[in-house]
Every structure is written in C-alpha cells, then in structure tokens.
Amino acid sequence: MERSLQEILQSYNDRSPLEEAYTIPASWYVDERVAALERQFVFGGTWQVVARADQVQEPGQFVATELEGEPLIVVRGGDGQLRGFYNVCRHHAAAVVTEASGNASIFRCPYHGWSYGLEGTLKGAPEFEGVCNFDRGQNGLVPVRVETWERFVFVNLDENGAPLAGFLGGLAARVAPLNLSQVHFFERRTYTLNCNWKVFVDNYLDGGYHVPHLHKALNSVLDYKQYTIENEDRFCLQSSPMVESEVDEATSATRQGERAWYFWQYPNFMINLYAGYMDTNLVLPDGVDRCKVIFDFYFDDVSEAAAEKNRQSIAVGERVNDEDVGICESVQRGLHSRAYQAGRLSVRREAGEHLFHRLLAGDLKRGGIEL
Ligand code: FES
Ligand SMILES: [Fe+2]
C-alpha cells in the first residue's frame, strides 16, 4: 500500500543528534509529493538567487527569469531602486519581457501592446476606451520581494518571510572579510544532472569525505586532515588550508591561496573561493529525478590576457564537476532501490548534511501541517 505523505515526512527524525542521526529517507528523493511540497515551502518560501547584482546595476537594466514556474523580472528603476515583478501581463497573462536580460526604458507586452514603466505602473493600454470599472492604477505589474546581498540578487515568493538579512543570518559577517567584490564575472556554465537536487547538495556538504576518493587532483592541493566544518544559522562553511602539490599542474596553477572556502546557504546556493577565484552554484530542481546546476565563474583578472588561464581554471572546475555528476547519478539510482532506506552520517565529516536535512525537514513538516 502506498504510504501517505505524512508518514513519509514523519519517517525522518530531525531531533536526533549527529551521532545518532540518519540521512533523510530515500523516499524524500524520489516521491513526487515531497517534490511538490518543496516547490511550495522550500523554493516558494525562501530567498532564492535570481540574478547577479552586476546585471542590474544601471537604471533600466533588467533580468527576466523563472523561479519554480513563476516568470519574474528584476529591474533597476530610473530612480535607482531595484524592484521585482511577476513577468505576467495584467491583460491576458502573456510574458511582458521576452529577453533574458537587457536595458529598457519601458516594458511593452508583445501580445496587445500594453506598456509598463520600470516602476511597474501601467502606462498604456491601446484601444481600451469605454471599458467600465477599469482602473489603470490597479493594473500595474504585480510586485515580488527582491533584495541584494554582496554580488547576488534574491527574490522571495513568500510575502511574509523574514527579510533577507535575517534569512542569511551569520553568513554575511563570515563572507564580508573575504571581499567578494575583488572578483568579476567571467562565464556561466549550466549542467543538467539526472538526480534529485538534494543529492547534489548532499554531495557538496559531506565535509570533504568524498574528495580523496573521487577528486584526486583537487585533493592534492587541500590539507584534508585540517578540513573544517562549521554550521551556523542556515549556512555551512567548509574550509581547508591549501598545500603545494605537483600531482596535477592545472589544478595547482588555478587553485591557490592560503585556504579554500566553501559556503553553502540553505537551501541551494554555494559560494566557492580560492585566491583570485570564485564560483557560485545554484541548484534548481527539474522534476523529482533531475536538477540543473548553474555555475557562475568569477576571476580577479577578466582581461583578454587572462582569458586562457581563466578557461583553464574553468576546465579544472568542470573536471571536478564531471566526477560529481557521475556519482550523484549513481546515488539517485541507488535511492530508487528497495535495498536502501536511509544511511548514517560521519560525525567527523557530515555535519553540514545533517544541518541541511534538519532545515529541510523543518520547512517540509511545517508545510505538511499547513496543507
Ligand atoms: S496579454 Fe499583454 S497586452 Fe494582452
Ligand atoms: Fe565533489
């Protein structure tokens, strides 16, 4: 007999200390009902990165995107203020903005030509004379909450959630000294993985456990024994001192500095830092068995002269990612097996995963009660 959603949610004990804890159960990675609950209460209820701040720096600059099926626009107004809107025309619901990004002084819907100002107000509705009880003032684009932190623009579909600063908690203070403004955006790469989005996040949060086994080249430049894992609020910081190595030339040339810093912010955003280097990972579900991971690469030098070195650095990152993709897809197949229900966690290594599972369980169990 099929288990109810409530039974599935209750099958994870989010009160267990790490030494006694299990992972979230396999059903959470394969059940459509859990995925639907996540859409509503995780992705629809938390601050989500939707753009880079440098894309919407100047008045008129906009980014159009989608968050869990909701078409959205973020735009810098003529008054310098950043605003977010649903990209849904108030006339008959067409997408008003059809380019992914750009610069505009007005948004004109391609369907019947209604136009909206950058502040969201309806400016023009052709051939609409004689329509009764139609108040233009009430027919602007519907706003959505938007806030910026460091280099990133966040949106929250939940009108009642805490402001971004409260959501990020201690992350801001931990990241501030690392001066993210030193690096500049260079390139985006997007990967599709045949696994649930949480498998990718788990893999990221295993405290380096898999690094010596799966990423031999990367492992050679990290002092694995000194790898640290700190949980705070809704983030986990994994960090490792770096060492000189001749195992892999490309890795040694592009992964440098005193320490490697790997930040994860619940639920799906990562920031990875080495000297002169940053990449961010945004993990987005695409059905229960698939996810998309967007990597944005930043470097201190993005001049033409540095392009080849930067591309070499991306290639190093891509090799690590290829290794992760293979194992994540293998895990997803295993999670479907009748042989597997849940696993235990390494106390030394897997505290980050434990935090992730508890935060997720908190949101899903709260959501399960509201349903
Ligand atoms: S749907 Fe936009 S003008 Fe008609
Ligand atoms: Fe990895």
Side-chain angles (χ1 to χ4, degrees), residues 88-96 108-116 122 124-126 128:
V88 179
C89 186
R90 295 298 298 275
H91 179 226
H92 288 179
V96 175
R108 194 175 311 278
C109 179
Y111 199 175
H112 312 98
W114 283 29
S115 55
Y116 301 87
L122 179 62
F128 236 56

Side-chain angles (χ1 to χ4, degrees), residues 203 210 215 324:
N203 175 64
H210 72 277
H215 308 308
D324 283 324

Side-chain angles (χ1 to χ4, degrees), residues 335-353:
L335 289 167
H336 276 281
S337 167
R338 67 185 73 184
Y340 188 87
Q341 282 79 43
R344 299 302 299 273
L345 294 165
S346 159
V347 173
R348 164 68 183 94
R349 293 279 167 188
E350 297 181 293
E353 230 170 299

